[in-house]
Amino acid sequence: MSAQLRPGHLEDLAALYALEQRCFVGDRFTRRQLAHLLGPAHASTWLLVDGEAILGYGTLLLRRNSRRARLYSFCVAPEARGGGLGRVLLECLEEEARGRGCDSLHLEVRADNRAALALYRRRGFRLTRWLDDYYVDGCAAWQMSKALVAEDPAADERPARLG
C-alpha cells in the first residue's frame, strides 16, 4: 500500500463515519461528534489515505493553555493492519502534538486490545492507571502516557553550582 498522511477535513466526514463503524463495536463516534472533531473542536485529525480510501485516522484533543495532548481516537482499517501504518500514523500525531507545544501525550486503550497496547508500548507509552468498567460494554481500559520532549541525558551528570 502507498498510504499518505494528510489532515482531515469536514469533507471526509462520510468516509470517517464508515471507518468508525467498521473498526469499533461500541463506543463509536456519531456523525455529529466526528463533524465537531473535524470542525470547531480544539482538535487535530490526521488521516492515512491510499487514493480516495481512508485506511486510518487519529484525533488529538488539544486544550488551550495546556502542554498535554490527548489521543482521543485512533484506528486503522482491518485490511490495513500489521504493515506498520499504525506506527506511521502515531508518529505523525506525536509530531503534531510536539509542534503545537505539547510535552506529553495521553490516551486510554481497551485492556483487551493487545495489538494497540503493544504499539503504544513500542512507541514509548507507559501504563499509568487502570480504569475499571471504562467502555460501554464493561471492558476496562489502561490509561497511558508518553513524554514528548527529549530528556537531557547529561542533566544528571552536571555538577551543582555552589554560591
Side-chain angles (χ1 to χ4, degrees):
M1 288 184 199
S2 59
Q4 304 290 316
L5 290 163
R6 70 167 175 82
H9 302 287
L10 202 49
E11 297 80 29
D12 300 310
L13 179 58
L16 278 179
Y17 182 73
L19 182 62
E20 186 84 5
Q21 297 301 304
R22 288 188 327 139
C23 289
F24 299 111
V25 175
D27 293 292
R28 296 177 181 143
F29 287 129
T30 64
R31 284 181 193 271
R32 184 176 181 180
Q33 289 168 319
L34 285 168
H36 181 71
L37 291 172
L38 290 167
H42 196 57
S44 179
T45 297
W46 281 83
L47 310 178
L48 272 170
V49 296
D50 186 9
E52 295 296 313
I54 296 177
L55 301 178
Y57 85 96
T59 298
L60 295 174
L61 291 183
L62 304 153
R63 294 196 326 215
R64 288 176 178 83
N65 302 316
S66 176
R67 296 181 55 94
R68 292 174 48 131
R70 181 176 176 204
L71 181 57
Y72 194 51
S73 188
F74 186 86
C75 74
V76 175
E79 68 276 8
R81 294 178 186 162
L85 293 178
R87 178 189 50 78
V88 169
L89 180 57
L90 188 54
E91 287 171 357
C92 170
L93 294 163
E94 290 174 18
E95 192 57 36
E96 173 76 7
R98 271 189 213 93
R100 298 224 185 187
C102 296
D103 58 18
S104 62
L105 183 55
H106 305 266
L107 61 86
E108 293 83 31
V109 60
R110 286 181 66 94
D112 62 359
N113 189 340
R114 290 181 166 184
L117 281 163
L119 171 64
Y120 297 140
R121 283 182 156 159
R122 282 192 308 271
R123 291 292 309 147
F125 283 83
R126 303 276 185 245
L127 300 174
T128 56
R129 189 166 65 146
W130 177 260
L131 304 167
D132 280 320
D133 197 29
Y134 187 79
Y135 291 97
V136 72
D137 65 356
C139 187
W142 277 107
Q143 199 169 57
M144 300 180 83
S145 65
K146 176 182 180 174
L148 296 176
V149 292
E151 294 185 27
D152 183 358
D156 294 332
E157 299 172 17
R158 292 184 194 137
R161 287 190 159 184
L162 299 176

